[in-house]
Amino acid sequence: GAVVSQHPSRVICKSGTSVKIECRSLDFQATTMFWYRQFPKQSLMLMATSNEGSKATYEQGVEKDKFLINHASLTLSTLTVTSAHPEDSSFYICSARDVAGGRWNEQFFGPGTRLTVL
Amino acid sequence: AQSVTQLGSHVSVSEGALVLLRCNYSSSVPPYLFWYVQYPNQGLQLLLKYTSAATLVKGINGFEAEFKKSETSFHLTKPSAHMSDAAEYFCAVGTSGTYKYIFGTGTRLKVLA
């Protein structure tokens, strides 16, 4: 149980376009989802915390107008990279909390999305 | 503020040898600690977690970790390394309330034949 999926797994886009990444909790309801960014051979950096039905909370230094996060349902959060540029190329990973499952302090991670901006 | 330090960005061991990956944490409140493994171009897989129960935590694939409050450590060990253990390992500390994770910088484990 507690499976998280991401779509797409890989995306290549041209500079200046927008890209949407979906994060879904498949077998549980996730009131809170997290979005991370990982550069090659580096650790995961938390970008934002997404709560269902409310605005996302962004970490310091993350441009909220560039990385739009929507958490419209208990099983879906989306990250839209607007006007993407090559420096936005990265591995984006989402995670979700399963509060009803008793594992309230644990995050379940998606498989990640590789974004390449040309 | 909470933080995590992983000593050694790269660790090499021979197949069959002991694996020891180090993690030290800083937390003003009782921490929740996690070890994750990441294979290339994949997400994170939970190896084990400490949530204030037993200090010696057993995880998957033969890994275990011991929470030592006096040393503020949560080192990951495995008695005998296998080639399939070669991957990136991350230690993380969780914060109650916000439920955020703070990740260490990671340790790349190489297993030599």
Side-chain angles (χ1 to χ4, degrees):
Chain A
V3 179
V4 177
S5 69
Q6 282 184 243
H7 178 79
S9 57
R10 307 178 73 94
V11 57
I12 301 173
C13 69
K14 293 182 179 180
S15 184
T17 60
S18 294
V19 174
K20 180 183 284 188
I21 301 170
E22 293 185 348
C23 176
R24 293 182 184 272
S25 56
L26 298 184
D27 52 1
F28 66 98
Q29 293 184 326
T31 54
T32 304
M33 290 183 170
F34 303 88
W35 287 96
Y36 295 86
R37 184 174 182 176
Q38 185 180 32
F39 289 106
K41 300 185 179 181
Q42 294 190 28
S43 188
L44 281 75
M45 299 298 295
L46 180 64
M47 300 175 65
T49 303
S50 168
N51 291 298
E52 187 266 337
S54 63
K55 291 184 178 180
T57 303
Y58 291 82
E59 295 298 303
Q60 191 172 10
V62 177
E63 299 177 64
K64 61 180 180 181
D65 294 331
K66 180 166 190 63
F67 299 100
L68 300 179
I69 292 172
N70 183 276
H71 193 160
S73 78
L74 287 171
T75 59
L76 174 64
S77 176
T78 60
L79 167 67
T80 301
V81 183
T82 63
S83 186
H85 291 284
E87 57 265 30
D88 299 323
S89 298
S90 191
F91 194 52
Y92 293 88
I93 302 176
C94 73
S95 68
R97 288 180 59 223
D98 177 16
V99 296
R103 295 172 289 189
W104 53 269
N105 56 10
E106 185 176 340
Q107 295 180 23
F108 299 92
F109 288 83
T113 296
R114 172 76 59 193
L115 170 63
T116 303
V117 184
L118 303 178
Chain B
Q2 296 178 306
S3 66
V4 173
T5 302
Q6 289 185 243
L7 294 176
S9 59
H10 292 80
V11 171
S12 294
V13 300
S14 298
E15 190 174 20
L18 171 72
V19 175
L20 170 60
L21 305 182
R22 300 178 185 275
C23 173
N24 288 87
Y25 70 92
S26 172
S27 177
S28 58
V29 296
Y32 303 107
L33 295 162
F34 306 85
W35 273 102
Y36 286 89
V37 61
Q38 184 181 36
Y39 296 98
N41 295 309
Q42 295 186 26
L44 275 68
Q45 180 181 9
L46 179 68
L47 284 174
L48 47 82
K49 61 181 179 181
Y50 168 76
T51 56
S52 76
T55 56
L56 181 62
V57 182
K58 293 187 182 300
I60 62 171
N61 301 339
F63 285 94
E64 63 180 39
E66 185 172 9
F67 173 73
K68 292 187 177 180
K69 184 178 179 180
S70 61
E71 299 177 8
T72 62
S73 69
F74 190 58
H75 301 332
L76 181 71
T77 61
K78 182 175 181 178
S80 177
H82 192 272
M83 297 298 288
S84 61
D85 294 327
E88 187 85 21
Y89 292 80
F90 292 98
C91 180
V93 59
T95 61
S96 60
T98 65
Y99 307 107
K100 294 181 183 180
Y101 281 8
I102 297 172
F103 281 90
T105 50
T107 298
R108 183 167 297 273
L109 176 66
K110 187 175 182 179
V111 181
L112 306 173

